[in-house]
Amino acid sequence: MVLDPSQLYQVDPDAPRLDEPVLVVVLDGFVDAGNAGTLAVEALQENREVRPVASFDVDQLVDYRSRRPPLRFETDHWESYTPPALDVVALTDTGDTDYLLLSGPEPDTQWERFVAAIGMLVEQFGVRLVISLQGIPMAVPHTRPIGVTAHATRSELVEGHTPWFATADVPGSATALMEFRLGQTGQDAMGFAVHVPHYLARSAYPQAARVLLDHAGLSGGLYLPTESLSRAAEQAESEISAQVGESEEVAQVVKALEEQYDQVAAAREEGGLAEGLGGDLPSGDELAAEFERFLADSADGVQDKTGPDVPPAPHEPPGPAAPPPPRDDDGPDTPPATPA
C-alpha cells in the first residue's frame, strides 16, 4: 500500500498529446560515470523546444540535507534560489518525431509511489516504450570501442546485445525499480548502461553520452541529436591523449587494459568469452563493489576532473576484471542517419 501516486505530480494543462511516444528517463544521483546521463540530457534539450508535460513534487521526494541545493548570496541578502526539478517534457528529434523526457534528481524516498506515478503517466500519454540511460565505471581502456550493458522487460527488446555477465546484486535505484515494476504490468521498458573507463568516471566523458543516445535512438526509432557531443568528444579525446602521454604510469596502465580488452575480443571471436579467458569473468560481487565505491566517493564530494588521474593497476581493478565485448556486439558504431 502506498499513498495516492496521482498526488505526487501535476500534469500541465497545456501538455501536448503525442501519438504513442517513447519516454526517455535519465535520473541523476545514482551511478552516472562520465556524467554520461547529464550530458545526454543537455544534448537532447540543446536548441530544441522544451514543452512542459508534468512536474513532480520534489519536496516529497528529495532529501535536501543529503543533496543541498545552492542558494546565491549577494553581499547582505539571499539573491536567488533554483529548486531541484523533476519533470517530464516533450521534445522532437531531428526528424520531427515527438518523444518524452523525464529528467532530474533520483528520488530519495517513496520509490514505489514514484514508480506507480510514472506508470500512470505512461498509461495517460500512451507511451509505447520507456528507455533509461546511465553510465557505469568499468576497467576498460578509452582507446577501444565503448560497450554497453542492455536490459529490458522482454528479451526481444535487447535482441542482438550480447550479455557479458550473468548475475549481479547491485545497489538498487529508482530507475531499476521502475523498469522492474513496468515489466510486471506488461509495459515495454529497457535501459542502457554505457561502460566508462574507471579512470575517467569523474570526468565529463561526452563519448559515453553519444553512445547512449545512439542506442536509445535505434531502440526507440528516434533520430536523437549528437552533433554537439561529437564535437565535445573530439576535444575530450585530444585532452585525454595529451594527459596520458604526460604520465608513463598512466600510459602503462592504459596499455595493460588494452591488452586485456583485446584478449577478450579475440576470445569472443573464437567462440566464447568464458572459454577464452578460462572462466575469468568479472563476478556480480565485483560489479556491485565498484558501484558501492563510486557512490561512496560521490557522497564524499569528489570533484570532477577534466582528464585521467593515475588509475589503479590493471591487476587490481576497481571493478570487473574483464572488459565488456566490443561495441560491434552491442550495437552499431554510428547513429542512424538524420533524415533530410
Side-chain angles (χ1 to χ4, degrees), residues 87-289:
D87 299 328
V88 179
V89 298
L91 297 164
T92 57
D93 68 0
T94 59
D96 292 330
T97 298
D98 293 314
Y99 68 97
L100 299 174
L101 171 66
L102 167 60
S103 63
E106 177 192 36
D108 295 302
T109 63
Q110 302 189 57
W111 279 8
E112 292 285 5
R113 189 183 183 202
F114 172 68
V115 168
I118 292 178
M120 296 177 71
L121 288 170
V122 164
E123 182 176 358
Q124 180 175 348
F125 287 92
V127 172
R128 62 180 174 86
L129 177 65
V130 179
I131 305 176
S132 63
L133 307 175
Q134 69 175 143
I136 59 175
M138 300 289 283
V140 295
H142 69 280
T143 52
R144 295 295 185 267
I146 300 175
V148 297
T149 292
H151 44 84
T153 55
R154 293 189 296 115
S155 58
E156 293 83 358
L157 294 174
V158 291
E159 187 174 359
H161 293 272
T162 305
W164 57 277
F165 65 90
T167 303
D169 291 322
V170 300
S173 68
T175 303
L177 180 62
M178 174 197 70
E179 184 176 311
F180 178 69
R181 293 299 187 210
L182 289 175
Q184 289 181 321
T185 65
Q187 169 67 44
D188 280 349
M190 64 187 306
F192 296 104
V194 64
H195 304 159
V196 177
H198 64 272
Y199 51 91
L200 298 174
R202 302 189 199 293
S203 305
Y205 196 54
Q207 293 90 321
R210 183 178 58 192
V211 169
L212 284 178
L213 294 188
D214 288 350
H215 282 81
L218 287 170
S219 296
L222 300 171
Y223 296 91
L224 299 177
T226 59
E227 293 83 359
S228 62
L229 290 174
S230 295
R231 292 192 297 269
E234 291 180 3
Q235 180 178 350
E237 200 71 44
S238 177
E239 294 174 353
I240 293 168
S241 297
Q243 293 190 46
V244 170
E246 294 173 357
S247 171
E248 181 64 26
E249 182 179 2
V250 174
Q252 290 177 356
V253 171
V254 172
K255 181 180 179 181
L257 288 172
E258 290 174 339
E259 294 173 351
Q260 180 176 271
Y261 186 100
D262 292 341
Q263 180 188 7
V264 174
R268 291 187 63 80
E269 291 181 1
E270 294 172 1
L273 184 60
E275 293 84 349
L277 292 181
D280 238 1
L281 286 171
S283 70
D285 288 343
E286 288 175 315
L287 184 62

Side-chain angles (χ1 to χ4, degrees), residues 148 160-161 215 218 326-333:
V148 297
H161 293 272
H215 282 81
L218 287 170
R327 186 147 57 110
D328 286 345
D329 290 335
D330 288 328
D333 292 337

Side-chain angles (χ1 to χ4, degrees), residues 42-43 45-49:
E42 292 175 355
Q45 295 183 333
E46 184 179 18
N47 299 323
R48 315 300 296 183
E49 181 185 3

